[in-house]
Amino acid sequence: MRKNRFLDLYQNFNAKERKQFVLYVHSVFFNQNKNLQALIQGIEQCVKTKKTVDKREMYSLCFPQETFNELKYNNLISDLLYLLYDFLAQSRYNREKVLQKQLLIRTLLDQECLEPCVMHLERYTQLQETTSWQDSNYWYAAYQLQDLQDQHLMSQEKRAYTPHLQSRSDALDRFYQLEKIKIACDMASRSTAVKADYQCAFIDDIIHWYQNNPRELTRFPAFQLYLAAYNMFTYKDDQAYLQLKGLLETHLKLIPQQELRQLYTYVLNFAVLRINSGENQYYQEILLLYKLLLDEAIIFKNGTLTQWTFTNIITAGIRTRDYEWTERFIEDYQHYLTPDVHQNVYTYNLVNLYFEKKDYPSALRMLHNVEFTDAFYHLSAKLIQLKTYYLLAENEALLALINATRRFVQRNRQLSDYQKKSSLNFLHILQRLSQLQHVLMNVRDAGKFKKQLRNDLDTLQPLANKQWLEEVLEQKFSFTTKH
């Protein structure tokens, strides 16, 4: 079935956005095709009443005397889609006040209408002066302003010194320097997750210039933030990590939300690196950071939480054993998940919390009453159920579920090769452990079996739940060897 990109986009609009688009389509300045006007009216009525959009019915609204023509309808929908793209661009333009001023003044200069330029240049200057955070957008806008100021004076054919050429050069330097260190930070951050040979030319020269001009650095807080982030990733510098956190707290109310999210992502990624190095105390750092991001509403994107952010927050809560807060978070913030993932994410994370709290009856009760629609969450929930059966010594149920889960993994096409292999390796080791559930060994046999399992843990890669398996292995053999 052909994917209807227009409906995918349009149905994600809220009522106000849909109303604005309907008005846009009916504006003769933007659209003079009456068939598109009839089509959007019909689609809007279906979306408003939550009725399925029937293409034959929509076609009859545009061409009431004609038999349905698939190609003609698809062309009409395609035209409506490109009108929607234009609407999105126009909506963005309406929000970009500085861009509006730039284009207007440049047009006036091209038309040699110099007198009205004075007023609009003053308003452009006022917009700049009311900008509280001097990020790269600010400096690029400053560069454009100085360029326009300079062009305006030169158009009057006055042979006099003006400061605008120097100011234009300075603003461009600021913009370039800040963009370069932002790129360098992205490179350093991404290199912690994937192997990449990124090269950021001139970044050392830029950093050295600021180090040799500390007064300039103190006048440029945005650069201070990214310099701290760069040092944090490049040199694994804990002091830079603390400096970045402190600078973020100082400028919290000034930095735009999108940039705040990116900068705090750097901080979180560094804490994760520390955890991966065995410094588990950083889980407390991560939880405190997430609480701040929630309280300040920084973490939300378009009013929602991604499923991965939601799960990461719960993982931090579990690792710090802050179970009460974590359960309250799950219940209070589940509504910020998008509807398509809500049930899977909410249920899985609640099951995971019950398991970590050792409330096995509640975990099993939820697992028995819910069917996961997403393969990843279905598999993750089954692994929790398997661990629960093992810990409760439900050996018969455990072996049956191991076999069922193995068949699910092998046949499912939604799972990646990595997910399949790591899960099958987990099932292999868990099945071997289950064979010992009711067996007592002498010290020699126990030591031999433990060595075999230890070898499997070290050689079978990738391996899901490796840390849990290692803990179970140690507990099991500390018990069996006493007999």
Side-chain angles (χ1 to χ4, degrees), residues 148-164:
L148 292 169
Q149 294 272 28
D150 194 50
Q151 284 190 46
H152 179 252
L153 287 175
M154 295 298 290
S155 297
Q156 300 174 53
E157 298 183 356
K158 293 181 179 179
R159 293 181 177 275
Y161 167 81
T162 73
H164 302 300

Side-chain angles (χ1 to χ4, degrees), residues 127-140:
L127 284 173
Q128 281 294 98
E129 289 173 348
T130 57
T131 303
S132 55
W133 182 246
Q134 296 181 355
D135 58 7
S136 56
N137 292 327
Y138 169 87
W139 289 109
Y140 184 72

Side-chain angles (χ1 to χ4, degrees), residues 429 453-461 463 466 470:
I429 293 179
L453 280 177
R454 181 71 258 178
N455 183 64
D456 285 347
L457 282 169
D458 292 336
T459 58
L460 291 178
Q461 299 295 333
L463 178 59
K466 183 175 181 179
E470 289 174 336

Side-chain angles (χ1 to χ4, degrees), residues 134-317:
Q134 296 181 355
D135 58 7
S136 56
N137 292 327
Y138 169 87
W139 289 109
Y140 184 72
Y143 159 73
Q144 294 280 0
L145 174 58
Q146 297 303 321
D147 182 35
L148 292 169
Q149 294 272 28
D150 194 50
Q151 284 190 46
H152 179 252
L153 287 175
M154 295 298 290
S155 297
Q156 300 174 53
E157 298 183 356
K158 293 181 179 179
R159 293 181 177 275
Y161 167 81
T162 73
H164 302 300
L165 187 58
Q166 182 64 56
S167 297
R168 175 184 167 198
S169 176
D170 293 343
L172 182 59
D173 286 342
R174 294 288 201 197
F175 167 75
Y176 173 77
Q177 292 160 354
L178 189 49
E179 280 296 294
K180 286 296 290 187
I181 197 163
K182 286 171 70 174
I183 292 169
C185 287
D186 276 343
M187 288 178 171
S189 177
R190 295 182 196 184
S191 295
T192 63
V194 295
K195 290 183 178 179
D197 188 24
Y198 292 122
Q199 300 293 326
C200 192
F202 307 120
I203 189 61
D204 291 337
D205 295 333
I206 293 170
I207 291 173
H208 289 157
W209 188 88
Y210 275 100
Q211 288 172 340
N212 293 329
N213 296 272
R215 288 184 62 186
E216 288 296 308
L217 186 59
T218 58
R219 292 175 54 221
F220 199 6
F223 198 91
Q224 292 178 43
L225 281 161
Y226 286 99
L227 180 58
Y230 180 80
N231 289 334
M232 179 180 73
F233 283 120
T234 305
Y235 306 109
K236 306 298 184 289
D237 189 344
D238 291 305
Q239 193 59 41
Y241 166 80
L242 295 173
Q243 183 188 9
L244 178 56
K245 282 207 310 176
L247 287 167
L248 284 169
E249 290 173 12
T250 300
H251 302 291
L252 191 67
K253 301 301 182 182
L254 298 177
I255 306 172
Q257 291 285 85
Q258 184 175 348
E259 192 165 7
L260 270 177
R261 275 198 300 273
Q262 181 60 60
L263 287 162
Y264 271 110
T265 298
Y266 291 154
V267 176
L268 288 164
N269 287 349
F270 184 81
V272 170
L273 282 175
R274 283 292 187 245
I275 289 169
N276 291 340
S277 299
E279 299 177 61
N280 289 332
Q281 70 272 19
Y282 271 85
Y283 274 119
Q284 189 64 50
E285 282 278 308
I286 287 178
L287 186 60
L288 290 172
L289 286 166
Y290 275 131
K291 288 179 178 180
L292 170 67
L293 296 176
L294 289 167
D295 290 342
E296 297 293 337
I298 298 167
I299 204 166
F300 301 100
K301 193 172 184 179
N302 298 324
T304 64
L305 279 173
T306 69
Q307 57 182 315
W308 312 118
T309 298
F310 190 87
T311 301
N312 288 341
I313 293 171
I314 292 159
T315 300

